[in-house]
Amino acid sequence: MHMVNIAILEDDVSVAKTLQRVLETYARQNDAAFNIRVFPNAEVFLADAKTSFDIAFMDIELPGMNGMDAAFKLREIDRQVIIIFVTNMAQYAVKGYEVNALYYIIKPVTYQSVAYKLKRALALHEANAQTDLVLRQNSGFARISTRDLLYVEISNHKLMYHTAAETVATYGSLADAEAELKGRGFFRCNSCYLVNARHIASVAGHFVVLSDGTQLQISHPRKKQFMTELGAWLGEGNL
């Protein structure tokens, strides 16, 4: 059973307890496994948010930093966490689109008000889990989608995960990355690179050209295997 990490950001103890009981009831009734943590203010929550939550239930009216500002801060370190606001302040709904909030739950919290939205959030989490990578770093973690990943590079004993928007560095070997990405359409074109086949625009001689214009060299010893693996993958109808 896959464990889902859930944060509750709520300064009202009774509301937090009610929401936690609702989540625990849902887990029992639906054979789910939740690791639930409760935070009384945004500052404490954000200090711990580097440890990767899957779903965050967030109040908006909080002491100190409010929940909306906390959501913007959270998005700076985690673009994939699913945010659900639990609030009396329905007028913030439009602003919630700016932080890609999935839902609003209007207080008082009930099982009925949470269950359907939680079911949808869990379905989205499972879909994301099929494509997400969580990369450990000294400062915490970075989460990226394999859909956005152009290629992985090993350089100076660091793994560099390149997307069109950013490069994320972590420690490990290219063999580690290759094992984690096995079956997801990533192929080694030389001893330094794993290439996402979905982002290959063309192969010209001993170079592979990616969708953003990046050119990576295909080594002579690897070219035959690389082309065979790429051809087999495309032949299975993958895009």
Side-chain angles (χ1 to χ4, degrees):
M1 185 183 301
H2 175 63
M3 180 68 70
V4 180
N5 294 311
I6 298 178
I8 297 173
L9 174 56
E10 174 61 69
D11 64 315
D12 187 317
V13 175
S14 64
V15 174
K17 287 183 176 178
T18 298
L19 181 53
Q20 185 165 359
R21 284 196 298 269
V22 166
L23 295 175
E24 290 168 348
T25 299
Y26 183 98
R28 288 195 302 271
Q29 294 181 353
N30 293 274
D31 193 29
F34 298 157
N35 175 33
I36 302 169
R37 299 186 62 189
V38 179
F39 299 90
N41 61 65
E43 290 78 10
V44 174
F45 166 68
L46 289 171
D48 246 21
K50 292 178 181 178
T51 59
S52 183
F53 293 108
D54 300 308
I55 301 172
F57 289 88
M58 303 176 65
D59 189 13
I60 292 178
E61 293 181 283
L62 293 166
M65 182 187 298
N66 67 46
M68 188 62 68
D69 289 340
F72 278 99
K73 292 285 187 183
L74 178 60
R75 277 286 175 251
E76 291 176 5
I77 58 175
D78 191 338
R79 293 190 298 275
Q80 300 298 319
V81 59
I82 297 167
I83 295 175
I84 299 175
F85 286 114
V86 183
T87 181
N88 292 315
M89 305 177 72
Q91 66 268 30
Y92 274 93
V94 173
K95 193 170 182 62
Y97 286 112
E98 297 178 34
V99 293
N100 196 26
L102 183 64
Y103 287 120
Y104 278 76
I105 294 173
I106 304 301
K107 296 176 182 179
V109 172
T110 65
Y111 185 88
Q112 289 74 21
S113 68
V114 173
Y116 172 75
K117 294 170 183 178
L118 178 59
K119 182 179 180 180
R120 294 290 301 274
L122 291 170
L124 178 59
H125 166 64
E126 287 300 320
N128 288 341
Q130 300 301 314
T131 63
D132 282 358
L133 293 174
V134 177
L135 307 176
R136 298 297 169 185
Q137 299 178 300
N138 292 334
S139 59
F141 77 98
R143 192 195 317 241
I144 61 176
S145 170
T146 57
R147 289 184 297 246
D148 300 327
L149 185 56
L150 298 171
Y151 65 101
V152 184
E153 175 185 9
I154 187 73
S155 177
N156 295 324
H157 306 292
K158 284 188 176 182
L159 283 172
M160 315 294 286
Y161 289 76
H162 297 273
T163 72
E166 63 181 341
T167 296
V168 177
T170 187
Y171 290 97
S173 69
L174 199 62
D176 294 334
E178 191 171 23
E180 185 171 20
L181 292 166
K182 187 176 178 61
R184 303 197 202 185
F186 285 78
F187 303 107
R188 194 186 289 224
C189 63
N190 64 36
S191 60
C192 298
Y193 304 120
L194 275 174
V195 181
N196 187 349
R198 290 180 176 83
H199 286 282
I200 293 177
S202 64
V203 175
H206 282 276
F207 288 91
V208 57
V209 182
L210 303 183
S211 56
D212 70 338
T214 298
Q215 294 188 35
L216 302 176
Q217 188 170 15
I218 307 169
S219 68
H220 287 275
R222 288 219 171 245
K223 183 169 185 181
K224 183 177 180 180
Q225 181 178 353
F226 175 74
M227 296 302 295
T228 299
E229 290 175 344
L230 180 60
W233 187 80
L234 292 171
E236 292 172 358
N238 296 295
L239 297 174

